């Protein structure tokens, strides 16, 4: 149980749960995609959005796990509208295949939640020869968002409902390499440090949301883009660091959020009326927070956008 629960301007706090921040909200008629929906806060986000009447497409790497989660939620809420689709964010061909299949399905898209992630593994490269955390946490989501954007624009235009893009980042974005994003050393194994590389990918998440929000506003599209820190949560993201995972489990009940609390900010940003028209912000504990100076650097955000475009176009 999170012990520090002072409410912010939104009326919610670190101890608020996903169900609490969406209480009374009717999401009927809305369609959402959630990446990484088969575990952790992705599962709870799926459950709560389904509870609120939203048709949720679970974009997952492991289809068996995804189907089991779908089954469990359907047992709890027999009216839940859930579909499972395969998506491996570390593979640009998988991202393209998913987006192509989704866009061909004639389904609308109101909400995109870029939630999936990998945290601090030993140095590994994706099938596209890109450092795994940067490939999965940022580039895969960057490409996915770009490929689904026309669908979201069409949905917002035809439904007269604001579209929302939600990117799950982390306070870990403050712990990064000196230059923030090492554009020329993304794949440099010799200077790789797992936690700094994780911070780099999470910094990229926030910069992505900021630059995307700027572009959408410039275009006059009724779609918002925001990033968030879900909170310190003991999930299987820590599996590559057994000592940290052990400590987290031990002290977790006193200082870490549980899963329902960890999913709260995502659900708040995705659904709450208070967030209508708010774009390019970074949320913490279901309130607007203040990211690092690097995460607020508009020029760095533009540079990252161009780098991400060139890194995904050829893949």
């Amino acid at each position: 149980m999170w012990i520090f629960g002072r409410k912010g301007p939104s009326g919610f706090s670190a101890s608020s749960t996903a169900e609490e921040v969406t209480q009374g909200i009717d999401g009927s008629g809305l369609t959402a995609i959630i990446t990484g929906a088969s575990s952790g806060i992705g599962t709870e986000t799926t459950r709560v959005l389904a509870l609120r009447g939203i048709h949720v497409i679970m974009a997952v790497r492991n289809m068996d796990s995804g189907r089991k989660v779908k089954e469990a939620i359907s047992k709890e809420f027999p009216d839940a509208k859930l579909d499972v689709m395969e998506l491996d964010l570390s593979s640009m061909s998988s991202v393209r295949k998913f987006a192509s299949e989704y866009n061909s399905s004639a389904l609308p898209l109101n909400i995109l939640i870029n939630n999936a992630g990998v945290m601090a593994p030993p140095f590994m490269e994706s099938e596209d020869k890109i450092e795994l955390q940067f490939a999965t946490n940022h580039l895969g989501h960057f490409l996915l968002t770009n490929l689904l954007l026309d669908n979201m624009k069409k949905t917002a235009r035809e439904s007269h409902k604001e579209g929302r893009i939600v990117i799950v980042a982390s306070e870990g974005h403050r712990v990064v390499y000196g230059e923030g994003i090492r554009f020329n050393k993304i794949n440099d194994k010799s200077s790789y440090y797992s936690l700094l590389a994780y911070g780099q990918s999470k910094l990229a998440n926030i910069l992505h949301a900021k630059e995307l929000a700027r572009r959408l506003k410039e275009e006059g599209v009724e779609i918002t883009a925001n990033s968030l820190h879900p909170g310190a949560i003991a999930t299987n993201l820590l599996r590559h660091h057994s000592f940290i995972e052990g400590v987290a489990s031990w002290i977790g009940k006193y200082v870490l959020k549980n899963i329902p609390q960890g999913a709260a900010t995502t659900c708040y940003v995705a659904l709450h009326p208070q967030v209508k028209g708010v774009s390019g912000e970074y949320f913490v504990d279901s309130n607007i927070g203040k990211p690092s100076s690097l995460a607020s650097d508009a020029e760095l955000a533009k540079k990252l956008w161009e780098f991400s475009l060139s890194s995904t176009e050829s893949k």
Side-chain angles (χ1 to χ4, degrees), residues 28-286:
S28 301
L30 299 178
T31 303
I33 289 174
I34 302 175
T35 68
S38 60
S39 65
I41 62 174
T43 294
E44 179 66 2
T45 301
T46 300
R47 190 186 78 84
V48 171
L49 263 59
L51 168 65
R52 302 303 175 212
I54 295 172
H55 179 189
V56 180
I57 286 77
M58 303 167 61
V60 300
R61 191 167 53 86
N62 186 318
M63 290 293 283
D64 286 341
S65 298
R67 290 188 193 102
K68 282 175 187 169
V69 169
K70 177 188 173 181
E71 242 175 68
I73 295 173
S74 297
K75 272 185 186 172
E76 189 179 0
F77 311 122
D79 294 332
K81 296 175 193 162
L82 297 165
D83 286 300
V84 185
M85 288 179 67
E86 188 172 10
L87 171 64
D88 180 355
L89 284 154
S90 71
S91 161
M92 298 305 133
S93 64
S94 176
V95 173
R96 291 185 187 281
K97 182 172 182 285
F98 174 92
S100 174
E101 287 176 0
Y102 189 84
N103 289 331
S104 300
S105 72
L107 282 170
L109 184 57
N110 304 92
I111 301 165
L112 172 62
I113 299 178
N114 291 334
N115 162 80
V118 58
M119 181 179 179
F123 183 84
M124 287 186 252
E125 287 186 343
S126 69
E127 68 176 43
D128 302 296
K129 304 299 179 190
I130 302 165
E131 188 274 311
L132 191 65
Q133 294 187 87
F134 197 76
T136 305
N137 298 353
H138 171 60
L139 286 179
H141 281 126
F142 177 86
L143 179 60
L144 178 69
T145 303
N146 279 1
L147 294 175
L148 294 173
L149 209 46
D150 282 344
N151 188 324
M152 290 197 76
K153 289 175 184 176
K154 182 173 183 280
T155 302
R157 192 169 57 245
E158 292 179 355
S159 67
H160 304 291
K161 290 177 182 172
E162 177 184 85
R164 295 189 184 183
I165 297 167
V166 183
I167 302 176
V168 179
S170 168
E171 278 291 274
H173 81 275
R174 300 180 192 278
V175 185
V176 289
Y177 300 107
E179 61 271 53
I181 309 290
R182 304 194 312 166
F183 294 103
N184 299 319
K185 292 185 177 179
I186 296 293
N187 301 325
D188 185 3
K189 184 178 180 179
S190 65
S191 60
Y192 175 81
Y193 186 75
S194 61
L195 289 171
L196 296 183
Y198 175 72
Q200 172 179 249
S201 71
K202 295 287 110 178
L203 171 61
N205 288 155
I206 301 173
L207 292 169
H208 176 204
K210 283 192 173 294
E211 177 62 8
L212 178 57
R214 186 191 71 78
R215 287 167 176 261
L216 291 169
K217 187 177 180 182
E218 201 173 70
E219 209 178 318
V221 182
E222 200 182 352
I223 300 172
T224 61
N226 292 290
S227 60
L228 64 95
H229 168 56
I233 310 154
T235 70
N236 66 356
L237 272 180
L238 294 168
R239 63 186 176 276
H240 297 293
H241 296 267
S242 55
F243 173 74
I244 298 173
E245 185 176 32
V247 172
S249 298
W250 177 54
I251 65 169
K253 59 186 175 183
Y254 303 109
V255 299
L256 296 179
K257 288 185 178 184
N258 57 35
I259 298 293
Q261 291 166 340
T265 305
T266 301
C267 292
Y268 173 78
V269 177
L271 274 189
H272 207 283
Q274 288 176 356
V275 188
K276 183 172 172 57
V278 178
S279 197
E281 296 289 353
Y282 173 68
F283 286 79
V284 180
D285 299 334
S286 301

Side-chain angles (χ1 to χ4, degrees), residues 283-302:
F283 286 79
V284 180
D285 299 334
S286 301
N287 285 276
I288 292 176
K290 189 173 171 52
S292 71
S293 55
L294 278 171
S296 306
D297 187 332
E299 288 309 308
L300 184 60
K302 288 176 186 174

